[in-house]
């Protein structure tokens, strides 16, 4: 029973501590990536960053990104 109660609390803690990261053309890889105004521009910057569980990477619709994503 304890296990069933622990799992939802762990999931909620991951979601509450999650950060959204943004990638768009015209961004800046030296920026924080945590807002549209401070978005990253290359996939290599995304690949070189350590993400926490629950973090999201949001790509700007209509932009083209060349390269690959390391999962």
């Amino acid at each position: 029973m304890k296990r069933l109660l622990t799992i939802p609390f762990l999931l909620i803690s991951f979601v509450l501590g999650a950060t959204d990261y943004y990638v768009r053309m015209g961004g800046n890889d030296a920026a924080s990536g945590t807002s549209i105004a401070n978005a990253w521009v290359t996939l290599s910057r995304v690949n070189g960053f350590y993400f926490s569980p629950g973090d999201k990477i949001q790509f700007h619709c209509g932009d083209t990104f060349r390269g690959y994503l390391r999962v």
Side-chain angles (χ1 to χ4, degrees):
M1 186 66 171
K2 285 183 182 181
R3 179 184 249 170
L4 291 176
L5 294 175
T6 304
I7 293 172
F9 288 115
L10 287 175
L11 292 175
I12 290 170
S13 67
F14 285 136
V15 172
L16 292 177
T19 304
D20 289 352
Y21 293 93
Y22 298 87
V23 183
R24 69 177 178 92
M25 296 306 294
N28 182 356
D29 282 345
S32 65
T34 56
S35 71
I36 294 173
N38 294 321
W40 295 328
V41 68
T42 62
L43 295 179
S44 62
R45 177 66 172 117
V46 175
N47 287 333
F49 191 80
Y50 177 77
F51 296 97
S52 297
D55 287 351
K56 290 187 264 181
I57 305 167
Q58 302 199 26
F59 295 92
H60 189 262
C61 182
D63 288 352
T64 301
F65 303 97
R66 304 212 187 287
Y68 66 93
L69 280 176
R70 187 180 61 211
V71 179

